[in-house]
Amino acid sequence: MITAIVLIKTSVDRIPEIAESIAALDSVSEVFSVTGTYDLIAMVRVRQHEDLAEVIPGRISKIPGVEGTDTHVAFRTYSQHDLEAAFSIGLDN
């Protein structure tokens, strides 16, 4: 699974509707409204790199009110859950 973090600039007066439209896309798992340079952050998960072109410029960028995107592809995922599994050696206390 390939994860992309998509930073999205939008028309400020349409953030809720744009966020809902993006969240409704099949490959989008979450959409966050955020402060800072960008208005929304979308988490996109696809099976192949080629699928990113279908989702990001093919769908997200074409939603009315989306002014631009900046995409970051994740190499590796780290979370507390993943770290616990990685360091667990199966010994009971």
Short mmCIF file of all heavy atoms in Angstrom, two decimals, residues 6-65:
data_model
loop_
_atom_site.label_atom_id
_atom_site.label_comp_id
_atom_site.label_asym_id
_atom_site.label_seq_id
_atom_site.Cartn_x
_atom_site.Cartn_y
_atom_site.Cartn_z
N VAL A 6 -1.39 14.68 1.01
CA VAL A 6 -1.66 15.71 0.02
C VAL A 6 -2.07 16.99 0.73
O VAL A 6 -3.09 17.03 1.41
CB VAL A 6 -2.76 15.27 -0.97
CG1 VAL A 6 -2.94 16.32 -2.06
CG2 VAL A 6 -2.43 13.91 -1.58
N LEU A 7 -1.23 18.03 0.60
CA LEU A 7 -1.51 19.34 1.17
C LEU A 7 -2.30 20.11 0.11
O LEU A 7 -1.90 20.17 -1.05
CB LEU A 7 -0.20 20.06 1.49
CG LEU A 7 0.80 19.25 2.32
CD1 LEU A 7 2.11 20.02 2.47
CD2 LEU A 7 0.23 18.90 3.67
N ILE A 8 -3.43 20.69 0.52
CA ILE A 8 -4.36 21.25 -0.45
C ILE A 8 -4.71 22.70 -0.11
O ILE A 8 -5.11 23.00 1.00
CB ILE A 8 -5.66 20.41 -0.49
CG1 ILE A 8 -5.31 18.94 -0.76
CG2 ILE A 8 -6.63 20.95 -1.53
CD1 ILE A 8 -6.44 17.98 -0.44
N LYS A 9 -4.57 23.58 -1.11
CA LYS A 9 -5.03 24.97 -1.00
C LYS A 9 -6.41 25.03 -1.63
O LYS A 9 -6.63 24.46 -2.70
CB LYS A 9 -4.09 25.93 -1.72
CG LYS A 9 -2.83 26.23 -0.97
CD LYS A 9 -2.09 27.37 -1.67
CE LYS A 9 -1.09 27.95 -0.74
NZ LYS A 9 -1.54 29.11 -0.04
N THR A 10 -7.33 25.72 -0.95
CA THR A 10 -8.70 25.80 -1.45
C THR A 10 -9.23 27.22 -1.37
O THR A 10 -8.61 28.09 -0.77
CB THR A 10 -9.65 24.91 -0.60
OG1 THR A 10 -9.76 25.48 0.70
CG2 THR A 10 -9.16 23.48 -0.50
N SER A 11 -10.42 27.40 -1.93
CA SER A 11 -11.17 28.63 -1.70
C SER A 11 -11.59 28.59 -0.24
O SER A 11 -12.27 27.66 0.18
CB SER A 11 -12.41 28.68 -2.59
OG SER A 11 -12.06 28.63 -3.94
N VAL A 12 -11.18 29.57 0.54
CA VAL A 12 -11.39 29.55 1.98
C VAL A 12 -12.88 29.47 2.34
O VAL A 12 -13.25 28.80 3.29
CB VAL A 12 -10.73 30.78 2.64
CG1 VAL A 12 -11.00 30.81 4.14
CG2 VAL A 12 -9.23 30.77 2.38
N ASP A 13 -13.73 30.10 1.58
CA ASP A 13 -15.15 30.10 1.89
C ASP A 13 -15.86 28.79 1.57
O ASP A 13 -17.02 28.62 1.91
CB ASP A 13 -15.86 31.26 1.17
CG ASP A 13 -15.73 31.19 -0.33
OD1 ASP A 13 -14.77 30.58 -0.83
OD2 ASP A 13 -16.60 31.75 -1.02
N ARG A 14 -15.13 27.84 0.96
CA ARG A 14 -15.74 26.56 0.58
C ARG A 14 -15.05 25.35 1.21
O ARG A 14 -15.25 24.22 0.78
CB ARG A 14 -15.70 26.42 -0.94
CG ARG A 14 -16.50 27.54 -1.63
CD ARG A 14 -16.87 27.26 -3.06
NE ARG A 14 -17.51 25.96 -3.18
CZ ARG A 14 -17.12 25.05 -4.09
NH1 ARG A 14 -16.13 25.30 -4.91
NH2 ARG A 14 -17.74 23.90 -4.17
N ILE A 15 -14.24 25.55 2.23
CA ILE A 15 -13.46 24.47 2.84
C ILE A 15 -14.33 23.27 3.23
O ILE A 15 -14.00 22.14 2.87
CB ILE A 15 -12.60 24.97 4.01
CG1 ILE A 15 -11.48 25.86 3.48
CG2 ILE A 15 -12.03 23.80 4.82
CD1 ILE A 15 -10.66 26.55 4.55
N PRO A 16 -15.44 23.45 3.95
CA PRO A 16 -16.22 22.27 4.36
C PRO A 16 -16.74 21.42 3.19
O PRO A 16 -16.64 20.20 3.20
CB PRO A 16 -17.38 22.85 5.17
CG PRO A 16 -16.87 24.16 5.66
CD PRO A 16 -15.98 24.67 4.55
N GLU A 17 -17.28 22.08 2.15
CA GLU A 17 -17.79 21.34 1.00
C GLU A 17 -16.69 20.63 0.22
O GLU A 17 -16.85 19.50 -0.22
CB GLU A 17 -18.54 22.27 0.03
CG GLU A 17 -19.67 23.06 0.63
CD GLU A 17 -19.22 24.45 1.09
OE1 GLU A 17 -19.26 25.41 0.29
OE2 GLU A 17 -18.82 24.54 2.26
N ILE A 18 -15.56 21.31 0.07
CA ILE A 18 -14.42 20.72 -0.64
C ILE A 18 -13.88 19.53 0.14
O ILE A 18 -13.61 18.47 -0.43
CB ILE A 18 -13.32 21.78 -0.89
CG1 ILE A 18 -13.86 22.88 -1.83
CG2 ILE A 18 -12.06 21.14 -1.45
CD1 ILE A 18 -13.00 24.12 -1.89
N ALA A 19 -13.76 19.68 1.45
CA ALA A 19 -13.27 18.58 2.30
C ALA A 19 -14.19 17.37 2.19
O ALA A 19 -13.72 16.23 2.07
CB ALA A 19 -13.17 19.04 3.75
N GLU A 20 -15.49 17.58 2.20
CA GLU A 20 -16.44 16.47 2.07
C GLU A 20 -16.33 15.80 0.71
O GLU A 20 -16.41 14.57 0.61
CB GLU A 20 -17.86 16.96 2.32
CG GLU A 20 -18.10 17.29 3.78
CD GLU A 20 -19.49 17.85 4.05
OE1 GLU A 20 -20.37 17.79 3.16
OE2 GLU A 20 -19.71 18.35 5.17
N SER A 21 -16.15 16.57 -0.35
CA SER A 21 -15.99 16.00 -1.69
C SER A 21 -14.74 15.15 -1.79
O SER A 21 -14.75 14.06 -2.37
CB SER A 21 -15.94 17.11 -2.75
OG SER A 21 -17.15 17.80 -2.80
N ILE A 22 -13.64 15.64 -1.20
CA ILE A 22 -12.39 14.88 -1.22
C ILE A 22 -12.52 13.62 -0.37
O ILE A 22 -12.11 12.53 -0.78
CB ILE A 22 -11.22 15.76 -0.73
CG1 ILE A 22 -10.98 16.89 -1.73
CG2 ILE A 22 -9.94 14.92 -0.54
CD1 ILE A 22 -10.02 17.97 -1.24
N ALA A 23 -13.13 13.74 0.80
CA ALA A 23 -13.29 12.59 1.70
C ALA A 23 -14.15 11.50 1.08
O ALA A 23 -14.01 10.32 1.42
CB ALA A 23 -13.89 13.04 3.03
N ALA A 24 -15.01 11.85 0.15
CA ALA A 24 -15.89 10.87 -0.49
C ALA A 24 -15.17 10.03 -1.55
O ALA A 24 -15.70 9.00 -1.99
CB ALA A 24 -17.08 11.59 -1.13
N LEU A 25 -13.96 10.40 -1.93
CA LEU A 25 -13.21 9.64 -2.93
C LEU A 25 -12.72 8.32 -2.34
O LEU A 25 -12.29 8.27 -1.18
CB LEU A 25 -12.02 10.46 -3.45
CG LEU A 25 -12.37 11.77 -4.14
CD1 LEU A 25 -11.10 12.56 -4.47
CD2 LEU A 25 -13.19 11.52 -5.40
N ASP A 26 -12.78 7.26 -3.13
CA ASP A 26 -12.44 5.92 -2.66
C ASP A 26 -11.06 5.79 -2.03
O ASP A 26 -10.90 5.14 -1.03
CB ASP A 26 -12.53 4.91 -3.81
CG ASP A 26 -13.97 4.62 -4.19
OD1 ASP A 26 -14.87 4.83 -3.35
OD2 ASP A 26 -14.19 4.20 -5.34
N SER A 27 -10.05 6.40 -2.60
CA SER A 27 -8.67 6.22 -2.11
C SER A 27 -8.30 7.17 -0.99
O SER A 27 -7.17 7.12 -0.50
CB SER A 27 -7.69 6.39 -3.27
OG SER A 27 -7.95 5.41 -4.25
N VAL A 28 -9.20 8.03 -0.57
CA VAL A 28 -8.92 8.99 0.48
C VAL A 28 -9.42 8.43 1.81
O VAL A 28 -10.60 8.12 1.96
CB VAL A 28 -9.58 10.36 0.18
CG1 VAL A 28 -9.36 11.32 1.33
CG2 VAL A 28 -9.02 10.92 -1.13
N SER A 29 -8.51 8.28 2.78
CA SER A 29 -8.91 7.71 4.07
C SER A 29 -9.31 8.78 5.08
O SER A 29 -10.18 8.55 5.91
CB SER A 29 -7.80 6.83 4.65
OG SER A 29 -6.62 7.58 4.82
N GLU A 30 -8.66 9.95 5.05
CA GLU A 30 -8.97 11.04 5.96
C GLU A 30 -8.73 12.37 5.27
O GLU A 30 -7.87 12.46 4.39
CB GLU A 30 -8.09 11.03 7.22
CG GLU A 30 -8.21 9.83 8.11
CD GLU A 30 -7.13 8.80 7.83
OE1 GLU A 30 -6.14 9.12 7.16
OE2 GLU A 30 -7.30 7.66 8.28
N VAL A 31 -9.46 13.37 5.72
CA VAL A 31 -9.21 14.76 5.30
C VAL A 31 -9.23 15.60 6.56
O VAL A 31 -10.16 15.50 7.36
CB VAL A 31 -10.26 15.27 4.29
CG1 VAL A 31 -10.01 16.72 3.94
CG2 VAL A 31 -10.27 14.41 3.03
N PHE A 32 -8.20 16.42 6.74
CA PHE A 32 -8.09 17.28 7.91
C PHE A 32 -8.13 18.74 7.49
O PHE A 32 -7.46 19.14 6.54
CB PHE A 32 -6.75 17.04 8.63
CG PHE A 32 -6.54 15.62 9.06
CD1 PHE A 32 -5.82 14.74 8.25
CD2 PHE A 32 -7.05 15.16 10.26
CE1 PHE A 32 -5.62 13.43 8.64
CE2 PHE A 32 -6.85 13.85 10.65
CZ PHE A 32 -6.14 12.98 9.84
N SER A 33 -8.92 19.54 8.18
CA SER A 33 -8.88 20.99 8.02
C SER A 33 -7.78 21.48 8.96
O SER A 33 -7.78 21.10 10.14
CB SER A 33 -10.24 21.57 8.42
OG SER A 33 -10.19 22.97 8.37
N VAL A 34 -6.85 22.28 8.45
CA VAL A 34 -5.68 22.65 9.23
C VAL A 34 -5.39 24.15 9.16
O VAL A 34 -5.90 24.85 8.28
CB VAL A 34 -4.43 21.87 8.76
CG1 VAL A 34 -4.60 20.39 8.99
CG2 VAL A 34 -4.12 22.16 7.30
N THR A 35 -4.55 24.61 10.07
CA THR A 35 -4.06 25.98 10.03
C THR A 35 -2.76 26.00 9.23
O THR A 35 -2.15 24.96 8.99
CB THR A 35 -3.78 26.52 11.44
OG1 THR A 35 -2.76 25.71 12.04
CG2 THR A 35 -5.03 26.49 12.30
N GLY A 36 -2.34 27.18 8.84
CA GLY A 36 -1.06 27.30 8.15
C GLY A 36 -1.22 27.63 6.68
O GLY A 36 -2.24 28.15 6.24
N THR A 37 -0.21 27.30 5.91
CA THR A 37 -0.15 27.63 4.50
C THR A 37 -1.24 26.93 3.69
O THR A 37 -1.76 27.47 2.72
CB THR A 37 1.24 27.26 3.93
OG1 THR A 37 2.24 27.91 4.71
CG2 THR A 37 1.36 27.68 2.49
N TYR A 38 -1.58 25.71 4.09
CA TYR A 38 -2.59 24.93 3.37
C TYR A 38 -3.88 24.89 4.17
O TYR A 38 -3.89 25.12 5.38
CB TYR A 38 -2.06 23.51 3.11
CG TYR A 38 -0.89 23.53 2.16
CD1 TYR A 38 0.41 23.64 2.63
CD2 TYR A 38 -1.10 23.50 0.79
CE1 TYR A 38 1.48 23.70 1.75
CE2 TYR A 38 -0.03 23.56 -0.10
CZ TYR A 38 1.25 23.66 0.39
OH TYR A 38 2.30 23.73 -0.49
N ASP A 39 -4.96 24.59 3.49
CA ASP A 39 -6.28 24.57 4.13
C ASP A 39 -6.71 23.17 4.54
O ASP A 39 -7.40 22.99 5.53
CB ASP A 39 -7.32 25.16 3.17
CG ASP A 39 -6.94 26.56 2.75
OD1 ASP A 39 -6.81 27.42 3.64
OD2 ASP A 39 -6.75 26.79 1.53
N LEU A 40 -6.32 22.17 3.74
CA LEU A 40 -6.69 20.78 4.00
C LEU A 40 -5.49 19.87 3.82
O LEU A 40 -4.59 20.17 3.03
CB LEU A 40 -7.79 20.32 3.02
CG LEU A 40 -9.11 21.08 3.04
CD1 LEU A 40 -9.98 20.64 1.86
CD2 LEU A 40 -9.84 20.84 4.35
N ILE A 41 -5.51 18.75 4.52
CA ILE A 41 -4.55 17.68 4.30
C ILE A 41 -5.35 16.40 4.09
O ILE A 41 -6.21 16.07 4.91
CB ILE A 41 -3.57 17.51 5.47
CG1 ILE A 41 -2.73 18.77 5.65
CG2 ILE A 41 -2.68 16.27 5.26
CD1 ILE A 41 -1.80 18.74 6.85
N ALA A 42 -5.07 15.72 3.00
CA ALA A 42 -5.75 14.45 2.70
C ALA A 42 -4.75 13.31 2.74
O ALA A 42 -3.62 13.44 2.25
CB ALA A 42 -6.42 14.50 1.32
N MET A 43 -5.17 12.21 3.33
CA MET A 43 -4.36 10.98 3.33
C MET A 43 -4.90 10.10 2.22
O MET A 43 -6.08 9.71 2.24
CB MET A 43 -4.48 10.27 4.68
CG MET A 43 -4.05 11.13 5.86
SD MET A 43 -2.35 11.69 5.76
CE MET A 43 -1.49 10.15 5.97
N VAL A 44 -4.06 9.81 1.25
CA VAL A 44 -4.45 9.00 0.09
C VAL A 44 -3.70 7.69 0.15
O VAL A 44 -2.48 7.67 0.32
CB VAL A 44 -4.13 9.75 -1.23
CG1 VAL A 44 -4.42 8.88 -2.44
CG2 VAL A 44 -4.91 11.05 -1.30
N ARG A 45 -4.43 6.59 0.01
CA ARG A 45 -3.81 5.26 0.02
C ARG A 45 -4.20 4.51 -1.23
O ARG A 45 -5.40 4.35 -1.52
CB ARG A 45 -4.23 4.52 1.28
CG ARG A 45 -3.63 5.16 2.53
CD ARG A 45 -3.96 4.41 3.80
NE ARG A 45 -3.19 4.93 4.91
CZ ARG A 45 -3.55 5.97 5.66
NH1 ARG A 45 -4.67 6.60 5.41
NH2 ARG A 45 -2.78 6.38 6.65
N VAL A 46 -3.18 4.08 -2.00
CA VAL A 46 -3.41 3.37 -3.26
C VAL A 46 -2.49 2.15 -3.33
O VAL A 46 -1.54 2.04 -2.57
CB VAL A 46 -3.16 4.29 -4.48
CG1 VAL A 46 -4.17 5.43 -4.53
CG2 VAL A 46 -1.74 4.84 -4.49
N ARG A 47 -2.78 1.27 -4.26
CA ARG A 47 -1.97 0.05 -4.41
C ARG A 47 -0.69 0.27 -5.21
O ARG A 47 0.32 -0.36 -4.98
CB ARG A 47 -2.80 -1.04 -5.06
CG ARG A 47 -3.93 -1.52 -4.18
CD ARG A 47 -4.54 -2.80 -4.74
NE ARG A 47 -5.70 -3.19 -3.97
CZ ARG A 47 -5.66 -3.86 -2.83
NH1 ARG A 47 -4.51 -4.20 -2.30
NH2 ARG A 47 -6.77 -4.18 -2.21
N GLN A 48 -0.73 1.15 -6.21
CA GLN A 48 0.42 1.37 -7.09
C GLN A 48 0.66 2.86 -7.26
O GLN A 48 -0.27 3.66 -7.20
CB GLN A 48 0.16 0.75 -8.47
CG GLN A 48 -0.08 -0.74 -8.43
CD GLN A 48 -0.43 -1.26 -9.81
OE1 GLN A 48 -0.05 -0.66 -10.83
NE2 GLN A 48 -1.14 -2.37 -9.87
N HIS A 49 1.93 3.23 -7.55
CA HIS A 49 2.27 4.64 -7.75
C HIS A 49 1.44 5.26 -8.87
O HIS A 49 1.05 6.41 -8.80
CB HIS A 49 3.77 4.79 -8.05
CG HIS A 49 4.61 4.72 -6.83
ND1 HIS A 49 5.24 3.57 -6.44
CD2 HIS A 49 4.91 5.67 -5.90
CE1 HIS A 49 5.90 3.81 -5.32
NE2 HIS A 49 5.72 5.07 -4.97
N GLU A 50 1.18 4.48 -9.92
CA GLU A 50 0.42 5.00 -11.05
C GLU A 50 -0.98 5.43 -10.62
O GLU A 50 -1.57 6.33 -11.22
CB GLU A 50 0.31 3.93 -12.15
CG GLU A 50 1.63 3.57 -12.80
CD GLU A 50 2.46 2.58 -11.99
OE1 GLU A 50 1.91 1.90 -11.09
OE2 GLU A 50 3.66 2.50 -12.25
N ASP A 51 -1.52 4.81 -9.58
CA ASP A 51 -2.86 5.16 -9.10
C ASP A 51 -2.91 6.56 -8.49
O ASP A 51 -3.97 7.18 -8.44
CB ASP A 51 -3.34 4.14 -8.07
CG ASP A 51 -3.48 2.74 -8.65
OD1 ASP A 51 -3.69 2.61 -9.87
OD2 ASP A 51 -3.38 1.77 -7.87
N LEU A 52 -1.75 7.07 -8.05
CA LEU A 52 -1.72 8.42 -7.50
C LEU A 52 -2.13 9.45 -8.54
O LEU A 52 -2.83 10.42 -8.23
CB LEU A 52 -0.33 8.76 -6.96
CG LEU A 52 0.11 8.01 -5.71
CD1 LEU A 52 1.56 8.31 -5.39
CD2 LEU A 52 -0.79 8.33 -4.53
N ALA A 53 -1.73 9.23 -9.80
CA ALA A 53 -2.10 10.16 -10.87
C ALA A 53 -3.61 10.17 -11.09
O ALA A 53 -4.19 11.22 -11.39
CB ALA A 53 -1.39 9.79 -12.16
N GLU A 54 -4.24 9.04 -10.93
CA GLU A 54 -5.69 8.95 -11.07
C GLU A 54 -6.39 9.74 -9.96
O GLU A 54 -7.36 10.45 -10.21
CB GLU A 54 -6.12 7.48 -11.02
CG GLU A 54 -7.60 7.27 -10.93
CD GLU A 54 -8.35 7.62 -12.21
OE1 GLU A 54 -7.73 7.60 -13.29
OE2 GLU A 54 -9.55 7.90 -12.12
N VAL A 55 -5.88 9.63 -8.74
CA VAL A 55 -6.55 10.24 -7.59
C VAL A 55 -6.23 11.73 -7.44
O VAL A 55 -7.13 12.54 -7.26
CB VAL A 55 -6.20 9.49 -6.29
CG1 VAL A 55 -6.81 10.17 -5.07
CG2 VAL A 55 -6.63 8.05 -6.38
N ILE A 56 -4.95 12.09 -7.50
CA ILE A 56 -4.59 13.47 -7.15
C ILE A 56 -4.84 14.44 -8.30
O ILE A 56 -5.77 15.25 -8.20
CB ILE A 56 -3.16 13.53 -6.59
CG1 ILE A 56 -3.10 12.65 -5.33
CG2 ILE A 56 -2.77 14.97 -6.25
CD1 ILE A 56 -1.73 12.29 -4.86
N PRO A 57 -4.10 14.38 -9.40
CA PRO A 57 -4.46 15.33 -10.48
C PRO A 57 -5.76 14.94 -11.19
O PRO A 57 -6.47 15.80 -11.70
CB PRO A 57 -3.27 15.27 -11.43
CG PRO A 57 -2.60 13.98 -11.15
CD PRO A 57 -2.88 13.66 -9.71
N GLY A 58 -6.09 13.66 -11.19
CA GLY A 58 -7.28 13.19 -11.89
C GLY A 58 -8.59 13.48 -11.20
O GLY A 58 -9.63 13.64 -11.85
N ARG A 59 -8.59 13.52 -9.86
CA ARG A 59 -9.84 13.74 -9.12
C ARG A 59 -9.76 14.91 -8.14
O ARG A 59 -10.57 15.83 -8.22
CB ARG A 59 -10.21 12.47 -8.35
CG ARG A 59 -10.59 11.33 -9.27
CD ARG A 59 -11.12 10.17 -8.47
NE ARG A 59 -11.31 9.02 -9.34
CZ ARG A 59 -11.26 7.78 -8.93
NH1 ARG A 59 -11.04 7.51 -7.67
NH2 ARG A 59 -11.44 6.79 -9.77
N ILE A 60 -8.80 14.88 -7.22
CA ILE A 60 -8.73 15.93 -6.19
C ILE A 60 -8.56 17.31 -6.84
O ILE A 60 -9.29 18.25 -6.52
CB ILE A 60 -7.61 15.66 -5.17
CG1 ILE A 60 -7.96 14.42 -4.33
CG2 ILE A 60 -7.38 16.88 -4.28
CD1 ILE A 60 -6.87 14.00 -3.35
N SER A 61 -7.62 17.45 -7.74
CA SER A 61 -7.33 18.75 -8.34
C SER A 61 -8.48 19.28 -9.19
O SER A 61 -8.55 20.47 -9.46
CB SER A 61 -6.06 18.67 -9.20
OG SER A 61 -4.95 18.46 -8.34
N LYS A 62 -9.38 18.40 -9.61
CA LYS A 62 -10.50 18.81 -10.46
C LYS A 62 -11.75 19.19 -9.67
O LYS A 62 -12.74 19.63 -10.25
CB LYS A 62 -10.82 17.70 -11.45
CG LYS A 62 -9.72 17.53 -12.48
CD LYS A 62 -10.04 16.48 -13.50
CE LYS A 62 -8.90 16.39 -14.51
NZ LYS A 62 -9.12 15.33 -15.49
N ILE A 63 -11.71 19.04 -8.35
CA ILE A 63 -12.85 19.43 -7.53
C ILE A 63 -12.92 20.96 -7.52
O ILE A 63 -11.92 21.62 -7.25
CB ILE A 63 -12.71 18.87 -6.10
CG1 ILE A 63 -12.86 17.34 -6.14
CG2 ILE A 63 -13.72 19.50 -5.15
CD1 ILE A 63 -12.59 16.65 -4.82
N PRO A 64 -14.09 21.52 -7.85
CA PRO A 64 -14.22 22.97 -7.85
C PRO A 64 -13.84 23.57 -6.50
O PRO A 64 -14.27 23.10 -5.45
CB PRO A 64 -15.72 23.19 -8.14
CG PRO A 64 -16.14 21.95 -8.87
CD PRO A 64 -15.33 20.84 -8.26
N GLY A 65 -12.98 24.58 -6.53
CA GLY A 65 -12.51 25.24 -5.32
C GLY A 65 -11.12 24.81 -4.90
O GLY A 65 -10.49 25.47 -4.08
#
